[in-house]
Structures are given as C-alpha cells and as structure tokens.
Amino acid sequence: MFTKTLVATLLAATSFHVAAADYNPSEKAKQLAHDALLIDTHIDVPYRLINGWEDVSQATADGDFDYPRAQQGGLNAPFMSIYIPASYEESGGGGELAHRMIDSMEALVGRAPDKFALAYNTDDIYAQQQQGLMSIAMGMENGTPIAGDLANLKLFYDRGIRYITLAHSQSNHIADSSYDIRRQWNGLSDFGKELVVAMNNIGMMVDVSHISDEAFYDAIAVSKAPVIASHSSLRSYTPGFERNMSDDMLKKLAENGGVIQINFGSSFVAQQANRYNDMIKKRVQAVEKQFGKDSAEAKKRIAEINANNPYPYATLEQVLDHIDHVVKTIGIEHVGIGSDYDGVGDSLPVGLKDVSSYPNLVQGLLDRGYHDEQIKMILGGNLMRVWKAVEDYAAAHTNDA
C-alpha cells in the first residue's frame, strides 16, 4: 500500500489469526509447478533483510520466502525487489540503499552457490534452470536512485537491475504515482520520457506498476519495447483503486506486447479487503474523537472494533478470477505472476500464503480448464517472451544506448 509496512501494521493491530485452508494440490499440479519455468517478478526479500537479517538460503521462521519453501513450490526465478521508499526522493540516499540491497543478493548467492545464481539475462535463466539452480534476478521498485542522471541507469544495469518501477507511493522526478493526489507531471516528466527511451536502448524492462494512469499511457506511447506491470491486479474487481489496472489499460498493454503480473495481496484482489483499512480507520477515528484518543473507553471500543471486524482475506479463487479476466480481455499471452511476497505483510490470500503455495495456483488453473502449455505461459513463459523482446530491441539499438 502506501508503505511496505502499512498493511502489516494495520493487520497486527487487529490481533487475530486466520488459518490457511487445507489445500491439497494433485501430484500433476505439483509436477507441473516443478517442470515449468516458474518466475515471480516481485518478491521483497532484500528490504525484509535490511529490516532484520535472516539466512534465507535456509528455512526461516518468518517471512514468505526461503529456499526450502521456494524449492517446494517450484520457484525457479524470483525477481528480488530493490525497494526504495518514496521518502528517499526528498531525503536522498536512495542510491546507497539500492546498492546495499544489491550487495545483499550478491552475498546470498555467495553463501549458497549450490542453491542460487545471479541472472542477468534470459539465457542465464534457462541455463540455471538446467543446472538446478534458483536464479536471482533483480528489479528496482521506485526509480528515485536514478537521480536524474542516465549514468546511474547504466550503473544499476551493470549491477544486475533488469526492470525499474518508475515511481512508488509518491510522485518522483520520473513519474506521477497512482497513490499521490499531487500530479506534478500529469504523467511522465520530460526526464521520465527520456529515461524510458534509455531503458529500451539498454535492455531494461519498463515497469508500469504504481504509476498514475496518465504516466502509464505516456510510458506506453514512448516505449518501443514491451512493458511489464510487475505486481498489479485488476481495477474491475477493486473499483476506484487506481493502483490496479483498468480494462482499457489492459488493452493498451496488449497492443504494446506487454504483460501484467498479478499481485496476490488481498487488497489488490478483493474489493472488501481493499476497503477494509479505510473502514477500520474511520471507525477508530470516530471513537477517538468521541472519547479521547488515549482514554480507556476509546481503547476498549477500538479493541471491540478490531475483534468484530477480522480482515477479509481474499482467496486463491479470487486470484484466479483476475487471471481469467486478463485472459478473456486481452489473451493468455499477457498475464503472469508478481506475488508481492514479503511486501504485503499478513494480507496474502487463503491458499497462497508463501512461496511453497504455487502448486495450489497450478491446481486452480487446471481445475478451470487451462492445459499444461497455457499454464507454463502464465508461470513464466509470458514474462520470458517480454524480457527477450526487450533484450532484442536493445541489441538492435546498441549504438543508441
């Protein structure tokens, strides 16, 4: 949401726990999840480790990702998010934070070279799959570290960044954010348009998640290569939530040849969950206004509000509805997975609680009539098509970079 910790904070305040349903994917679903090239384009491990280090090459008590669970789920290639909070646009230091997180991913691979390998291109992904290694690819969430200097684009490309989410929860020097009512650029800034061209030329995927509608349309108009929405879902299921994509945006994405990677977070998937935080906040504010913020009566009533209004988790079936809608609207070539694991706190749907859960998704797709090759497209084939197209465009424009 507005910050990576907002959902977790609000959910923790409710002091309840919902157990996941007992999903039992078939052996076919498990095998397909492991046979397919399974790519998840948005997992927030690097920022999680900045806040509290764990060795995710081993089983961990916390978080949504570690190697044993990812291996159980069939994950081949997580794009680790180099997430830069929006506040760094004003405070500075975003570049240093980005480098620290990239360092942490290099260190992870260095500690467990028998498990992980850094992936810089599509050939690496295929080769490392054959070698039985989990590919660590990286995307930068929020272009703030570019700092208005295209030399930084080359620097981060050389360090392994392969997509940039142009903005995050506030507008920056590149683009307006879907969350920010201030529309200082009414889309992309002039530098943002220049950056998109430069990203095309160097072979960096343009990520349109988080940006405003106007910025999305600008990016589509400027980009000569397919774009991605690395972790977005559909506005048709969450009316008024601009962070998700409208059907018209989906159609423009398809014309561009791009792909939307569906976000699993409940507030992205289900309208009731999307509106939950605002509903609770308004009730709490009303109580605090009536009885005083720190009064015993206010605390009592707020506890009752939380106890009587448990968070309405989305379900696996609702995530599948989003995939179905993309397929029906623009075709199966344009949808994939961008879970936002480790980024949406305890708001993940029942049935998709961590990286071991991908076989549940595969079973759901099988149950809805998707055949094996179609499922492989959704799990990773479509993203690889786009990434290869971006690489090919850059190769043909090496003199422009």
Side-chain angles (χ1 to χ4, degrees), residues 121 147 371 389:
N121 52 55
H371 60 66

Side-chain angles (χ1 to χ4, degrees), residues 82-353:
I82 306 304
Y83 162 61
I84 309 301
S87 60
Y88 282 82
E89 182 76 13
E90 298 297 327
S91 68
E96 290 84 350
L97 178 60
H99 285 299
R100 284 172 59 201
M101 285 190 276
I102 295 170
D103 288 345
S104 75
M105 293 298 97
E106 291 177 345
L108 174 62
V109 172
R111 282 195 308 275
D114 57 326
K115 298 176 180 177
F116 299 108
L118 290 166
Y120 300 102
N121 52 55
T122 53
D123 287 344
D124 285 346
I125 299 289
Y126 290 124
Q128 289 158 10
Q129 181 190 24
Q130 291 301 312
Q131 295 163 14
L133 295 171
M134 188 172 297
S135 295
I136 300 293
M138 291 181 285
M140 180 183 288
E141 186 178 19
N142 186 2
T144 281
I146 301 302
D149 186 349
L150 293 180
N152 286 325
L153 174 66
K154 177 66 161 56
L155 173 63
F156 285 113
Y157 180 87
D158 289 344
R159 292 220 61 193
I161 298 296
R162 288 300 177 267
Y163 73 70
I164 295 177
T165 316
L166 300 179
H168 191 251
S169 59
Q170 295 177 18
S171 299
N172 61 15
H173 67 286
I174 298 166
D176 291 332
S177 166
S178 61
Y179 285 128
D180 196 337
I181 61 173
R182 303 166 300 167
R183 301 299 163 97
Q184 58 178 322
W185 310 116
N186 292 315
L188 297 183
S189 68
D190 289 342
F191 176 76
K193 295 173 183 176
E194 183 182 0
L195 178 64
V196 168
V197 172
M199 290 172 69
N200 286 170
N201 291 339
I202 203 172
M204 183 91 75
M205 288 181 280
V206 175
D207 180 15
V208 297
S209 290
H210 275 288
I211 60 178
S212 69
D213 288 10
E214 295 84 358
F216 166 83
Y217 288 114
D218 279 353
I220 291 291
V222 172
S223 184
K224 303 301 182 185
V227 306
I228 67 169
S230 70
H231 59 306
S232 294
S233 298
L234 306 181
R235 203 176 301 172
S236 58
Y237 294 94
T238 56
F241 186 44
E242 189 176 343
R243 171 65 178 81
N244 277 346
M245 293 181 67
S246 69
D247 283 1
D248 184 71
M249 295 166 78
L250 288 179
K251 292 170 184 175
K252 292 295 183 184
L253 184 77
E255 291 174 10
N256 164 268
V259 62
I260 178 173
Q261 304 287 104
I262 297 299
N263 190 314
F264 293 173
S266 291
S267 65
F268 291 82
V269 172
Q271 183 177 7
Q272 189 177 8
N274 185 262
R275 295 179 177 178
Y276 173 85
N277 293 335
D278 286 341
M279 180 271 290
I280 292 292
K281 183 178 178 180
K282 288 176 182 178
R283 293 191 182 185
V284 167
Q285 288 175 337
V287 168
E288 290 176 341
K289 183 177 180 180
Q290 181 177 357
F291 297 101
K293 185 174 182 179
D294 296 320
S295 70
E297 184 64 23
K299 291 178 181 178
K300 174 187 173 184
R301 289 175 180 255
I302 290 169
E304 291 173 351
I305 290 171
N306 291 330
N308 294 329
N309 295 277
Y311 186 75
Y313 288 98
T315 65
L316 166 62
E317 286 72 24
Q318 288 173 303
V319 174
L320 292 166
D321 289 344
H322 284 250
I323 293 173
D324 281 351
H325 188 85
V326 177
V327 172
K328 292 173 184 175
T329 304
I330 58 173
I332 198 166
E333 302 88 354
H334 302 288
V335 64
I337 297 169
S339 65
D340 217 346
Y341 281 136
D342 278 324
V344 290
D346 184 28
S347 73
L348 290 159
V350 176
L352 291 171
K353 290 296 186 182

Side-chain angles (χ1 to χ4, degrees), residues 28 32-33 36-39 259-261 320 323-324 326-328 330-337 361-385:
K28 175 179 173 59
L32 186 52
L37 178 57
L38 202 165
I39 302 173
V259 62
I260 178 173
Q261 304 287 104
L320 292 166
I323 293 173
D324 281 351
V326 177
V327 172
K328 292 173 184 175
I330 58 173
I332 198 166
E333 302 88 354
H334 302 288
V335 64
I337 297 169
L361 184 76
V362 173
Q363 184 64 60
L365 292 168
L366 288 169
D367 291 344
R368 293 193 179 204
Y370 290 88
H371 60 66
D372 292 9
E373 292 306 310
Q374 291 175 320
I375 293 171
K376 289 178 181 179
M377 292 170 69
I378 294 167
L379 294 182
N382 292 334
L383 186 281
M384 290 294 280
R385 171 187 60 79

